Amino acid sequence: MIELEGVPELIDPVMVAAFEGWNDAGDAASTAVAHLEREWKGDVFAALDAEDYYDFQVNRPTVFMEGGVRKITWPTTRLSVVRVGGDKPRDLVLVRGIEPSMRWRSFCNELLGFAHELGVELVVILGALLGDTPHTRPVPVSGVTSDGELARRMDLEETKYEGPTGIVGVLQEACTHAGVPAVSLWAAVPHYVSQPPNPKATLALLNRLEDLLDLRIPQGELPEDARAWQVGVDQLAAEDSEVSEYVQTLEQARDTAELPEASGEAIAREFERYLRRRDVPPGGHATADGSDGGPFRRDAPSGRTRPPKPPKPEAPGASSEGGEDADGSED
């Protein structure tokens, strides 16, 4: 039995989880949960025992100084809770950690034990995968679930994926078997610029989470960071004619594939997001999602490595539905 002390009774709680590692291309998913925790000042109320789930030769502890005393931070998974205000306040239980090295079933059962004790009504797991997507276009984010009824009700895809999986896939199936509604949101990160951070993909995940949960997430500096990131990748691509040509090929494939999807539904989603943000006071958060375009007012971050020259694909385009990509992430 998990006993939670000091945690107040929660309002319509939703668990939002992300894990560093195999399912976190560009650190986009783990950074999204870290952003929620930072913007809403989450209070950590629990941490899983690191020795139960982690190989410290794979994920090493770190030493730091505090008040002249040396201390150690162990790799683990922590849970915090934040309250989202507004007309309909609700609580988010944030789960942020590292994909475990061992005992995955026990790991998932422990998280589900917290979810049960806290009365969690929905689990949303964030992930990011490497894909054949151009950095110049909005980041594709897919929402999948193993629950057919939930897929119809929330306009999600019912996953048909078969193959190797990470902790995101294992946790989603554990939720399904336990009768807990669960959704995975996946952002596609350009495989030719996969090194973290990727604020554009992080922002896309948060925007999709907004739509899914019908709430407004403060964006902070993410829109500006996303614009700066794109400028930096634009500059790197312009320096290599082969990469630039490849990006153009991806753009053409993406634009052709999405032409039928320029529907009123997509326009309506963007308009609803605008309406949610129009009452932000001066000096607050931007109303645009920062996906692409617009003037760039900040130099690109320094120290970014040059993207590798990608192979010419026979048939460029997005990854197939439900497939895994080069980093092992599943769609």
Side-chain angles (χ1 to χ4, degrees), residues 5-315:
E5 298 181 359
V7 179
E9 184 175 350
L10 303 183
I11 303 173
D12 299 330
V14 173
M15 179 176 281
V16 181
F19 305 94
E20 300 173 18
W22 209 48
N23 298 144
D24 192 24
D27 291 353
S30 58
T31 302
V33 174
H35 177 85
L36 296 175
E37 194 173 45
R38 181 175 59 253
E39 291 294 323
W40 279 320
K41 298 178 174 56
D43 294 321
V44 175
F45 64 86
L48 276 59
D49 190 335
E51 292 199 3
D52 288 342
Y53 305 114
Y54 295 101
D55 180 345
F56 298 141
Q57 290 183 323
V58 176
N59 297 290
R60 292 186 178 274
T62 56
V63 178
F64 67 99
M65 299 292 293
E66 185 177 279
V69 179
R70 291 171 62 85
K71 295 186 177 181
I72 295 179
T73 298
W74 297 93
T76 188
T77 294
R78 294 178 173 82
L79 290 83
S80 60
V81 61
V82 298
R83 175 150 296 177
V84 182
D87 296 335
K88 297 180 179 179
R90 76 181 315 170
D91 292 301
L92 299 183
V93 179
L94 305 179
V95 179
R96 181 162 64 101
I98 306 169
E99 183 177 66
S101 307
M102 62 196 80
R103 304 182 68 230
W104 284 21
R105 285 177 292 185
S106 297
F107 180 87
C108 293
N109 288 336
E110 187 164 355
L111 289 180
L112 286 172
F114 281 109
H116 175 73
E117 288 297 315
L118 294 168
V120 166
E121 301 174 348
L122 175 70
V123 174
V124 182
I125 315 165
L126 307 183
L129 53 84
L130 296 178
D132 292 331
T133 182
H135 73 277
T136 54
R137 297 294 185 265
V139 176
V141 178
S142 59
V144 297
T145 180
S146 301
D147 187 328
E149 192 279 329
L150 187 64
R152 291 186 293 273
R153 178 160 52 89
M154 303 189 76
D155 191 24
L156 303 165
E157 299 176 33
E158 187 175 359
T159 180
K160 302 296 183 183
Y161 171 75
E162 295 179 301
T165 189
I167 193 61
V168 172
V170 172
L171 179 57
Q172 177 164 326
E173 291 308 303
C175 291
T176 300
H177 294 154
V180 179
V183 174
S184 296
L185 300 181
W186 289 95
V189 172
H191 69 84
Y192 57 89
V193 57
S194 59
Q195 64 271 21
N198 190 318
K200 186 172 180 178
T202 295
L203 187 60
L205 279 171
L206 292 174
N207 284 338
R208 186 69 174 86
L209 184 65
E210 273 193 333
D211 296 338
L212 183 74
L213 301 182
D214 191 24
L215 50 80
R216 191 178 71 188
I217 297 173
Q219 295 182 342
E221 297 181 356
L222 272 176
E224 186 179 355
D225 291 341
R227 296 184 184 103
W229 176 87
Q230 184 164 320
V231 166
V233 181
D234 285 343
Q235 293 172 346
L236 290 174
E239 295 172 3
D240 191 311
S241 59
E242 187 174 350
V243 173
S244 180
E245 181 182 345
Y246 180 67
V247 171
Q248 291 177 7
T249 302
L250 292 179
E251 291 173 339
Q252 293 171 0
R254 172 77 178 273
D255 294 344
T256 300
E258 292 194 345
L259 188 61
E261 298 180 7
S263 62
E265 182 179 342
I267 296 173
R269 275 200 304 268
E270 290 303 312
F271 185 62
E272 288 172 359
R273 183 175 294 120
Y274 165 76
L275 291 179
R276 280 200 299 267
R277 298 190 175 281
R278 63 181 299 181
D279 58 344
V280 176
H285 308 299
T287 58
D289 65 0
S291 295
D292 62 344
F296 300 100
R297 296 171 296 190
R298 199 170 81 176
D299 292 333
S302 60
R304 188 179 299 279
T305 57
R306 184 184 185 87
K309 294 183 178 180
K312 293 292 181 96
E314 295 181 6

